[in-house]
Amino acid sequence: MTTASDGTSGGEARSVFVDNAGVRLHVLDNGCAGGAPPVLVVPGMGEYAGEYAWLLDRLGERRVVVADLRGRGGSDTPESGYTWADHIGDLRAVVTALGLRRPVLVAFSRGSSYALGYALESPGAVAGLVVGDYQARHVGLPAAFADQQLGARIRGVAVAERMPEHAVRRVVAESREVPLWDRLAELRCPVLVLRGDRPSSIVTDELAQRWRAALPSVDVVTIAGAGHDLWSRDPGAYLAALLPFLDRLGPPVS
């Protein structure tokens, strides 16, 4: 593991580099030593850690770590190795290398399936799970999705500028459908599902009911005015939905 200073605004971040079987992963870490469970942020497809740097100093005195998964941001882009299991392995490598004891996983979009996989694989090692507008499944992507994704834009920036084309195509080519609805009962931590109320939201009213039916203990919170992009329109509304859940898991030491 190596560290370096980072100039990204939004928090007193340092860049940390973690090895996962020869793949170097970039992570932002606020280095906080608060007593609450640490938070590991898992961005979605095409997102990078720097976009979530604003969370580093907005979650109280919690340690907050944001991961660049393989093929994203400052992490390596291997020729292959983009399966669901490979991404879960990235999270495991970050948790282990940084000594994150029972982290809360705060995920967004496709990153939610990686976080769900980690929580199911290590049920006693996760303090909480936040699913950012996603289903309980790892989606097997059709081949046409690669070109669709490369032509898309996230927060005004083309995905083709966010991820190397090779990485996008390998994520799609190596994807396989993994249904997880029937496995939610295996989770041993509180779960929060965040969704928006705009048409672009993935978690519709019907899917919200499916979450509640599959996991009766789940909290489903709707962020007014948000679409699938839960926070860029109104970061304050996103925090208002997230912070009460984190506080229930263990308030930060003041």
Side-chain angles (χ1 to χ4, degrees):
M1 181 176 69
T2 58
T3 63
S5 62
D6 187 276
T8 306
S9 62
E12 295 299 322
R14 58 174 182 155
S15 281
V16 180
F17 293 92
V18 170
D19 178 79
N20 182 17
V23 177
R24 193 174 81 147
L25 305 170
H26 171 253
V27 178
L28 290 179
D29 183 357
N30 71 357
C32 182
V39 172
L40 173 57
V41 179
V42 187
M45 177 81 171
E47 295 186 309
Y48 50 89
E51 289 181 276
Y52 287 84
W54 66 279
L55 280 174
L56 295 171
D57 62 356
R58 300 292 297 276
L59 301 184
E61 296 302 315
R62 295 176 175 85
R63 187 176 184 188
V64 182
V65 171
V66 190
D68 270 330
L69 301 179
R70 57 187 59 215
R72 285 83 154 174
S75 292
D76 284 350
T77 306
E79 288 301 308
S80 62
Y82 293 88
T83 66
W84 184 56
D86 291 322
H87 287 89
I88 294 171
D90 287 346
L91 299 183
R92 188 187 314 111
V94 170
V95 169
T96 300
L98 300 186
L100 303 180
R101 184 175 180 274
R102 298 193 72 242
V104 182
L105 305 180
V106 176
F108 173 69
S109 193
R110 192 170 179 83
S112 297
S113 72
Y114 307 142
L116 255 173
Y118 181 86
L120 288 167
E121 182 183 274
S122 307
V126 176
L129 172 64
V130 179
V131 173
D133 195 40
Y134 213 62
Q135 304 183 48
R137 57 187 283 228
H138 180 64
V139 179
L141 301 169
F145 184 82
D147 288 330
Q148 176 187 333
Q149 188 72 2
L150 287 165
R153 303 178 75 84
I154 300 174
R155 302 183 192 105
V157 180
V159 171
E161 298 176 23
R162 292 170 163 273
M163 284 180 73
E165 179 178 348
H166 171 76
V168 174
R169 295 196 181 280
R170 293 314 303 170
V171 167
V172 173
E174 297 182 36
S175 68
R176 300 291 184 273
E177 184 72 24
V178 183
L180 298 171
W181 292 106
D182 290 342
R183 294 194 61 192
L184 293 180
E186 299 173 30
L187 294 171
R188 294 294 179 264
C189 65
V191 178
L192 169 68
V193 174
L194 295 177
R195 66 174 189 146
D197 61 2
R198 296 173 64 86
S200 63
S201 294
I202 288 176
V203 179
T204 60
D205 289 346
E206 180 181 5
L207 274 179
Q209 284 302 110
R210 187 171 185 183
W211 270 104
R212 295 184 181 102
L215 187 67
S217 63
V218 72
D219 287 331
V220 180
V221 175
T222 302
I223 302 173
H228 183 55
D229 183 352
L230 293 172
W231 57 264
S232 68
R233 282 176 175 265
D234 188 348
Y238 175 80
L239 289 172
L242 174 63
L243 284 171
F245 178 78
L246 296 181
D247 286 343
R248 290 199 299 273
L249 301 178
V253 176
S254 59

